[in-house]
Amino acid sequence: MIFEYLREPSLEDLLPSRDAFKYLERGMKCVGWIPPPKEKLYYWAHRFWSVVVFSLGGIYTQVGLYATYIFDFDSFTVNTFLSSIQSVPDATTVPLKVLTLLPNIWRFHKGWDLLDLMDKRCTRMEERFEVHRCVVRCNTAFLIYTAVCSIFLTLTYLSSVLMGSTPWGFYNPFIDYRSSPQNLWIVCTFEYFVASVASYLDEMALLYPLMFGLILRTHIKLLTERINRLRTNSDETEDQSYEELVNCCKDYKLIVEFCNNFRPIISVTIFLQFISIGVCLGLTLFNLLFFATFWIGLATIVFIIVLIFQTFPFCYVCDLVEKDCEMLSIAIFQSNWVDADKRYKKSLIYFLHRTQQPINFKAGGKFKICLQTNIEMAKIAFSVITFAKQLNIMDKLQAN
């Protein structure tokens, strides 16, 4: 069932943490990123399909766009040119993101195994319910992003056909879309398919950090609740309390290992997106404010929403993760340790020292991933519009 991983929690059937990536995992299998076992008969067919997908969504989109600007530039109107070029910076990063993720698919398998170890500590029913709700949130985010991207692609496709032009202007030397309405529909439908493949590749490269951040927050919160319960049971012996504290330290070590596992690919993915988002927003707003017709404007607005979805949610989650780490340190300090034995206190001090270093992420190893950085990158959009105005690009385009 498509919506199997969006169901309400029940006592008989609760979802584990690894299912937060279930729809993403299925998507990776569809595009050939996660191959079947080699003993399967269709293994090489699956490998060939992955090459086809990358060739269309990662390579042809680049070659097709730039070839059109070189060989067929005179065919563009102002509206079609701006609708095409506003997607170029984002499209250019797609193959780089894919080439970053493909050699690191093993990190996803390792991450899912680490989540299984974290789930073993969720022995209380309320903890398992919380994990289930987080899994549903992650899978819902995947479907929402897929729906928004599909709406943008469909609106761009239909609005271009109604205007008698191609949606993105991929170079096609085999079919002349101007020769007949039938050829126009064929070329536009082909471009719609290619753009959908590229968009889906980009979607998986950008959604896994958000899912990672959501499930990470859940396990940090569950650890904080366990720490709050330390030495609150009067029936526990000092040895049992110490063992529970050690288990909490191991839980935190697993969380840090989970973060370090994904940190290298998150750094590259978000860095590439930070580079493209400002330029994309600038070109998109320029098109929307000065040249867009109603239908192109509607598709452009949806594209702006897509751009915002690409970085804003994860940046926001990163800020929340830092606050969760602060709450974790406060919970350790405020736990019931005053009358504990010396061994317990020493371990608690070590644990507190480890958690004083908050979990954060950097894009490209330089820019801290947070809302402030996201806003600074988005400000590039206004620089693009200002630059265009100073060069009178708007007047020149209208004149031509």
Side-chain angles (χ1 to χ4, degrees):
M1 292 177 61
I2 296 177
F3 302 108
E4 177 185 359
Y5 298 95
L6 304 180
R7 64 180 184 269
E8 290 294 322
S10 62
L11 293 175
E12 297 79 16
D13 188 17
L14 292 171
L15 297 171
S17 295
R18 67 161 48 226
D19 283 349
F21 296 85
K22 182 57 70 173
Y23 291 154
L24 180 73
E25 182 182 4
R26 289 179 177 177
M28 288 180 171
K29 289 179 180 179
C30 286
V31 298
W33 290 4
I34 300 181
K38 287 189 176 181
E39 56 268 18
K40 296 289 185 179
L41 294 176
Y42 54 89
Y43 172 80
W44 290 109
H46 195 271
R47 295 276 77 185
F48 175 75
W49 170 246
S50 68
V51 174
V52 172
V53 169
F54 180 72
S55 298
L56 287 176
I59 298 177
Y60 175 70
T61 50
Q62 317 301 311
V63 176
L65 283 172
Y66 292 114
T68 300
Y69 299 148
I70 295 172
F71 300 110
D72 204 17
F73 188 78
D74 292 338
S75 65
F76 281 110
T77 64
V78 174
N79 288 330
T80 56
F81 174 69
L82 289 176
S83 297
S84 172
I85 201 172
Q86 70 186 15
S87 304
V88 169
D90 196 39
T92 304
T93 63
V94 172
L96 299 177
K97 295 170 188 172
V98 174
L99 292 175
T100 298
L101 290 181
L102 281 179
N104 290 283
I105 292 297
W106 63 271
R107 293 185 183 274
F108 289 89
H109 294 288
K110 181 180 177 181
W112 297 333
D113 292 338
L114 290 172
L115 287 174
D116 290 338
L117 295 176
M118 296 181 201
D119 282 350
K120 289 182 180 180
R121 286 282 290 152
C122 299
T123 55
R124 292 172 170 256
M125 191 56 64
E126 57 268 24
E127 291 179 327
R128 296 180 61 195
F129 267 73
E130 188 61 32
V131 168
H132 181 103
R133 294 189 188 97
C134 180
V135 170
V136 171
R137 284 195 295 271
C138 291
N139 289 316
T140 301
F142 185 91
L143 293 182
I144 290 174
Y145 192 90
T146 302
V148 172
C149 288
S150 300
I151 291 172
F152 160 69
L153 293 168
T154 303
L155 285 174
T156 304
Y157 166 63
L158 294 177
S159 62
S160 298
V161 172
L162 293 174
M163 293 180 61
S165 62
T166 56
W168 292 275
F170 298 138
Y171 184 65
N172 190 336
F174 304 106
I175 302 177
D176 183 8
Y177 72 90
R178 306 173 193 85
S179 60
S180 68
Q182 182 181 1
N183 284 351
L184 175 64
W185 278 102
I186 292 174
V187 173
C188 288
T189 303
F190 175 71
E191 286 196 9
Y192 179 65
F193 173 73
V194 172
S196 298
V197 172
S199 176
Y200 196 59
L201 293 176
D202 195 36
E203 174 186 346
M204 290 187 294
L206 289 170
L207 267 181
Y208 80 87
L210 176 61
M211 298 175 181
F212 157 82
L214 292 174
I215 201 69
L216 173 64
R217 287 198 68 211
T218 297
H219 281 284
I220 291 176
K221 286 183 176 180
L222 293 177
L223 176 57
T224 302
E225 292 172 4
R226 292 187 203 115
I227 291 170
N228 287 329
R229 293 194 298 267
L230 288 174
R231 303 188 78 252
T232 57
N233 186 356
S234 58
D235 296 332
E236 277 186 353
T237 64
E238 286 298 326
D239 288 339
Q240 289 173 330
S241 298
Y242 178 75
E243 182 180 358
E244 188 61 29
L245 174 62
V246 171
N247 288 332
C248 288
C249 293
K250 292 179 179 178
D251 293 341
Y252 184 74
K253 184 179 179 181
L254 276 177
I255 288 173
V256 173
E257 185 178 357
F258 182 62
C259 294
N260 292 337
N261 176 62
F262 281 99
R263 194 183 302 277
I265 53 176
I266 287 176
S267 175
V268 177
T269 302
I270 301 301
F271 177 71
L272 291 171
Q273 196 55 39
F274 275 162
I275 292 174
S276 66
I277 186 173
V279 180
C280 278
L281 277 176
L283 295 171
T284 304
L285 290 174
F286 186 72
N287 184 21
L288 179 65
L289 294 175
F290 302 114
F291 295 100
T293 61
F294 174 77
W295 289 108
I296 291 181
L298 188 60
T300 302
I301 290 173
V302 177
F303 183 57
I304 291 174
I305 296 173
V306 171
L307 289 175
I308 293 172
F309 273 164
Q310 288 179 346
T311 54
F312 175 80
F314 181 60
C315 289
Y316 178 63
V317 168
C318 284
D319 283 349
L320 295 179
V321 166
E322 284 203 42
K323 292 182 180 179
D324 292 337
C325 291
E326 291 178 9
M327 295 304 297
L328 178 65
S329 297
I330 293 173
I332 295 171
F333 180 75
Q334 293 182 345
S335 63
N336 186 20
W337 56 267
V338 177
D339 56 344
D341 58 26
K342 188 175 182 180
R343 179 183 60 169
Y344 185 95
K345 290 180 179 179
K346 282 186 175 180
S347 299
L348 189 79
I349 292 172
Y350 171 76
F351 191 16
L352 182 61
H353 175 71
R354 288 290 305 273
T355 57
Q356 288 295 306
Q357 303 170 358
I359 296 173
N360 52 46
F361 302 89
K362 290 185 177 181
K366 299 294 182 181
F367 307 104
K368 183 180 178 181
I369 302 177
C370 60
L371 281 179
Q372 182 62 35
T373 306
N374 192 60
I375 292 171
E376 292 297 328
M377 293 299 173
K379 287 180 180 179
I380 299 175
F382 300 101
S383 300
V384 172
I385 295 176
T386 302
F387 179 74
K389 283 185 175 181
Q390 288 178 347
L391 295 180
N392 291 325
I393 292 178
M394 182 179 68
D395 296 334
K396 293 176 181 177
L397 287 173
Q398 288 175 336
N400 291 330

